[in-house]
Amino acid sequence: MKPEVFAVVMATGIVSISALDHGYGVISWPLAVLAALGLPVLMYLAATRWRSFDLRSIDTIVGLFTYVAACAVVAARFAEHGPALSILGAMALAGWMALIPTLLVRMRQLGPTGLRDRARGTWELASVGTSGVSMIFMAEGIMFWAFAFWVVALALYCLMTALIAWRALGDREVRRNVPADHWILMGGAAIATLAGERIFVELPPGPTAEAVRVLTVVTFIVATVQIVPLALASWRQILDWPAVFPLGMYSVAGYGLAFETGWHALSVVSLGFFWIAFAAWLAVVGVLAGRVIRLTSKHGLRPE
């Protein structure tokens, strides 16, 4: 089991939210149930295999931020249910507080060149999880901490993106073979947009609100300009959970930004990306189902 296994819950939950945004309850609710049931199942499986995780590896630490993000996404989906929001929010915050000090220690141990040589798209999960915690605080009406976590998320995104870009500039192989996890660069900017949009809506008019509004537009632009290069460089890798989540998150962020700015064309873009994300989700499930069928057939487990 990989540390980033909770990406399946992230992807399923965010596609459910996008479906709900666009009025497709018949799609949203089954996905929401799958995400809600999948989270505790994966928590149990991860707990039973905890000793197999190399917690000395920075890749393991950032991969576990999928747990934080998964809790946040499911909490956002069931935000209208107060107890669910509080419980999942507490789980996400506890996970974040356990992981972030370890991440900072590992980063300090590696140093600048060590970080450059290892940087990859999954490292943006630290920013994704932090933005998720920000949204939970916002849903609970705690503006100060929502804003603080959003700022930290933006700082982490800038830092991780700089490291990934530094590595890509010096490593031709990284530029040539872009892995699926690089889609998280787009997803990290998109979830920062959504977190900023929710903060902006609750802020009183003034310089702070305008600054938040500008930053949300900037992060959405950052997410947007990455789509075509990622699609051209790694379209084959789109059939994986690290790519499904960013597509769904871009849809949700676009929908929220349309509400914030009044740019109704973004609602159309959001709808288009919902269908792309949902199609990708179905395709990934189909690929996984095919693997299971082949595996059971190979071992003689498929019924005649």
Side-chain angles (χ1 to χ4, degrees):
M1 174 180 284
K2 296 181 179 180
E4 58 269 23
V5 66
F6 293 95
V8 61
V9 176
M10 294 167 57
T12 304
I14 202 63
V15 175
S16 172
I17 292 173
S18 182
L20 190 66
D21 284 343
H22 293 286
Y24 296 107
V26 68
I27 297 175
S28 177
W29 277 106
L31 292 178
V33 171
L34 285 175
L37 294 177
L39 180 59
V41 170
L42 291 177
M43 288 173 61
Y44 171 76
L45 293 175
T48 59
R49 292 163 174 78
W50 186 257
R51 294 181 183 275
S52 66
F53 293 154
D54 181 9
L55 298 179
R56 296 168 298 178
S57 169
I58 190 171
D59 291 323
T60 299
I61 301 303
V62 293
L64 288 171
F65 272 95
T66 56
Y67 165 75
V68 178
C71 290
V73 169
V74 177
R77 178 59 183 83
F78 294 97
E80 68 274 15
H81 304 286
L85 176 63
S86 298
I87 293 170
L88 290 165
M91 290 164 56
L93 181 60
W96 188 91
M97 293 180 67
L99 291 170
I100 201 70
T102 308
L103 174 63
L104 295 176
V105 169
R106 296 292 179 269
M107 293 180 73
R108 182 179 179 182
Q109 291 172 341
L110 287 172
T113 55
L115 291 170
R116 176 202 61 195
D117 294 341
R118 292 169 174 80
R120 51 183 298 183
T122 52
W123 288 21
E124 299 288 6
L125 288 168
S127 174
V128 171
T130 306
S131 288
V133 175
S134 171
M135 290 194 296
I136 289 173
F137 276 119
M138 197 65 254
E140 293 280 14
I142 307 173
M143 172 63 77
F144 175 82
W145 287 112
F147 186 84
F149 271 83
W150 181 60
V151 171
V152 172
L154 291 175
L156 285 170
Y157 184 83
C158 291
L159 174 60
M160 299 305 187
T161 302
L163 290 169
I164 294 167
W166 188 12
R167 181 183 181 186
L169 288 173
D171 190 337
R172 181 179 299 178
E173 187 63 24
V174 172
R175 298 195 301 271
R176 182 181 303 164
N177 298 310
V178 180
D181 60 28
H182 274 53
W183 280 92
I184 304 174
L185 274 79
M186 188 264 277
I191 193 173
T193 300
L194 184 62
E197 179 271 326
R198 294 188 176 180
I199 291 171
F200 170 79
V201 169
E202 299 299 327
L203 284 173
T208 301
E210 283 305 308
V212 171
R213 184 175 185 271
V214 169
L215 282 174
T216 57
V217 173
V218 169
T219 52
F220 189 74
I221 292 172
V222 169
T224 301
V225 299
Q226 295 182 69
I227 294 173
V228 172
L230 283 169
L232 292 175
S234 59
W235 64 270
R236 291 183 179 86
Q237 284 76 31
I238 199 171
L239 298 182
D240 203 352
W241 297 122
V244 176
F245 171 77
L247 292 169
M249 180 53 70
Y250 187 81
S251 172
V252 176
Y255 186 87
L257 195 61
F259 175 80
E260 174 191 328
T261 61
W263 299 342
H264 299 297
L266 288 178
S267 296
V268 178
V269 174
S270 172
L271 178 60
F273 270 86
F274 157 66
W275 286 113
I276 293 172
F278 184 50
W281 186 91
L282 290 173
V284 173
V285 170
V287 170
L288 292 177
R291 290 175 183 172
V292 171
I293 291 172
R294 287 194 298 271
L295 181 63
T296 55
S297 177
K298 179 180 179 181
H299 293 281
L301 300 176
R302 187 171 63 180
E304 296 296 335

